[in-house]
Amino acid sequence: ALPGPAAAASGVGVNWGTMMSHPMHPAAVVRMLSANGVDRVKLFDADPWTVSALAGSGIQAMLAVPNDHLAAVARDPRRARDWVRDNVTRNLDAGVDVRYVAVGNEPFLKSYNGSFINITFPALKNMQRALDEAGVMVKAVVPLNADVYNSPEKTPVPSAGSFRKDINTLMVSIVNFLHRNDAPFVVNIYPYLSLYQNANFPLNFSFFDGGSKPVFDKGLVYTNVFDANFDTLVWSLRKAGVPDMKIIVGEIGWPTDGDKRANVKYAQKFYDGFLKKMAKNVGTPLRPGRMDAYLFALIDENQKSVLPGRFERHWGLFTYDGKPKFPMDLSGNGQDRYLLGVEGVQYLPSQWCVFDKDLKDRYRELPASVNYACSNADCTALGYGCSCNGLSHDGNISYAFNMYFQTMDQDVRACSFGGLAKIVTANASQGGCVFPVQILSASERVVPLRVLAASLVLSVAVFILM
């Protein structure tokens, strides 16, 4: 047998999100993390079911206070003390290696229209005070999107960077507070989003192999957007009076579906370059040396909002059932092979729900049926340039029906659609488009998929039926 994968490169962790309809058992996921040499995870809440599985594993954890709890923690220091007691002290006592508490997640995104502007800093202060009072060596941080700083359009170089004008005073206060408490600045940097949001962005500047025209700035040379973005933050911190502040990359990754440039080929190329960079401890032109980063994300999440883009449900290094998507070497030594998957995953029966083509006379009912299926299940792989883009008209309908059927645990009633569908036992997958069979959920707390924004549902249904 081949030896197991080498330990992940120093400073490399993963984000473990849990917004899926059918989660695997956390203990099985933790065993998979350990088997792949991953020694740190970043979570988006402090759910006991997930966190308790980390006890005794030796894996360092960043827990989180979700954005919708910030107001309460900001308003009342007792809420912070209660949160620390219930989620930090208790877990430390149980053998969970808690290192950080994330206060919110990207609370200053422009899409939030300022909802969290006035409560994030008070919540951060209350949380750090509660941690100090509890006598634990845990730091409160605020994971922020890279949109909290920028360079002006007329001088798009790192040295021109500073914190966003609308929040500059607030950011200066926050970074100085973090620095005084010896806490790092946690930033989420996504080269993929630079590409997704700008049609003219040079593709090769997203990667790490120097295949793009470099950017020159004050004697430094930038061959990729990650380095340029990171150093824009370094300049912003300098201007805020904390030039030596520690930085952790809270999220970085590349999705594998849901958009024409979200695919396995590009994801593999991106991770290969980034992990080799991490292993060499080269850092960035302005901040050379060791770096800490959490890859985003561990497992695909079929309940994530698709408002930012359909790719949101496809960030995982692993598929919904814990299988690795492509060969990679977390140690950064370039010895690419498939990571070890999650063991002991159980599947529902091998059956699929497909469109019954003999009922074409009832086509007028199809749009409503497809619309319903895709509003309650994940049809993002059907979009332009995605893995199931090449299906026939009937294949699109079958895909939508099957995704709903699987999401509903293969309930016979979920393969009716007014008589338009039927259950088959022959694998319905076509070419590169996988029609999945859902896994047996490890959670009793399964909630139905959030209904998407009506416009998105409609656009999917219209696309399928074109």
Side-chain angles (χ1 to χ4, degrees), residues 154-201:
K154 59 182 187 296
T155 46
V157 291
S159 61
S162 58
F163 288 116
R164 226 167 64 201
K165 280 194 170 60
D166 61 315
I167 53 170
N168 185 62
T169 307
L170 175 60
M171 285 303 305
V172 170
S173 300
I174 287 176
V175 297
N176 279 278
F177 175 82
L178 289 167
H179 192 57
R180 280 197 305 276
N181 284 283
D182 202 26
F185 189 102
V186 179
V187 62
N188 301 341
I189 298 177
Y190 282 108
Y192 168 78
L193 291 181
S194 301
L195 189 64
Y196 179 75
Q197 291 160 356
N198 179 358
N200 300 316
F201 190 87

Side-chain angles (χ1 to χ4, degrees), residues 22 94 136 167 204 238:
H22 291 64
V136 296
I167 53 170
N204 287 330
R238 279 186 180 184

Side-chain angles (χ1 to χ4, degrees), residues 370 374 379 382 392-393 396-397 400 459-466:
V370 169
C374 288
C379 295
L382 290 172
S392 65
H393 174 270
N396 282 331
I397 299 163
S459 70
V460 172
V462 168
F463 178 86
I464 290 170
L465 295 169
M466 273 162 60

Side-chain angles (χ1 to χ4, degrees), residues 229-452:
N229 190 307
F230 189 97
D231 282 0
T232 305
L233 170 58
V234 176
W235 275 105
S236 304
L237 291 169
R238 279 186 180 184
K239 292 168 189 177
V242 283
D244 57 344
M245 185 166 185
K246 180 177 165 66
I247 299 169
I248 289 178
V249 179
E251 298 178 16
I252 182 167
W254 198 283
T256 56
D257 209 346
D259 181 60
K260 63 179 191 274
R261 284 165 166 165
N263 57 53
V264 164
K265 181 181 127 190
Y266 285 162
Q268 190 170 7
K269 179 176 179 175
F270 180 81
Y271 281 116
D272 187 58
F274 182 69
L275 290 165
K276 282 176 179 168
K277 175 186 179 69
M278 288 292 288
K280 289 177 189 157
N281 288 323
V282 290
T284 63
L286 203 58
R287 187 71 79 84
R290 188 180 180 278
M291 186 183 282
D292 288 298
Y294 293 87
L295 308 181
F296 190 90
L298 187 58
I299 303 160
D300 281 350
E301 297 172 76
N302 67 347
Q303 291 190 327
K304 284 196 77 178
S305 165
V306 293
L307 288 175
R310 291 179 183 150
F311 55 82
E312 280 294 341
R313 295 180 177 174
H314 304 278
W315 287 104
L317 298 173
F318 293 82
T319 50
Y320 73 100
D321 53 353
K323 288 192 165 63
K325 292 182 181 177
F326 49 85
M328 68 188 300
D329 182 0
L330 289 172
S331 72
N333 294 322
Q335 305 291 314
D336 287 358
R337 59 170 173 259
Y338 283 97
L339 298 174
L340 300 170
V342 178
E343 293 186 344
V345 176
Q346 293 179 288
Y347 292 82
L348 297 175
S350 293
Q351 54 181 7
W352 294 260
C353 177
V354 297
F355 174 45
D356 189 342
K357 295 171 189 170
D358 298 334
L359 298 170
K360 292 200 172 179
D361 56 324
R362 301 176 66 174
Y363 253 41
R364 65 184 179 281
E365 293 164 35
L366 268 176
S369 295
V370 169
N371 201 3
Y372 182 78
C374 288
S375 65
N376 290 287
D378 179 24
C379 295
T380 52
L382 290 172
Y384 172 70
C386 304
S387 63
C388 294
N389 181 207
L391 294 179
S392 65
H393 174 270
D394 292 354
N396 282 331
I397 299 163
S398 288
Y399 185 87
F401 285 179
N402 184 62
M403 290 306 280
Y404 177 76
F405 176 62
Q406 302 295 343
T407 300
M408 297 300 155
D409 289 318
Q410 298 188 357
D411 187 317
V412 175
R413 294 165 297 181
C415 188
S416 167
F417 296 102
L420 287 164
K422 63 181 179 182
I423 295 172
V424 297
T425 53
N427 192 331
S429 300
Q430 299 176 32
C433 175
V434 175
F435 281 50
V437 169
Q438 190 50 266
I439 63 172
L440 207 56
S441 175
S443 172
E444 295 302 311
R445 299 169 294 121
V446 174
V447 288
L449 274 146
R450 290 168 180 75
V451 177
L452 307 180

Side-chain angles (χ1 to χ4, degrees), residues 214-233:
V215 170
F216 299 93
D217 180 27
K218 293 190 179 292
L220 299 177
V221 183
Y222 291 92
T223 57
N224 65 80
V225 69
F226 172 82
D227 284 358
N229 190 307
F230 189 97
D231 282 0
T232 305
L233 170 58

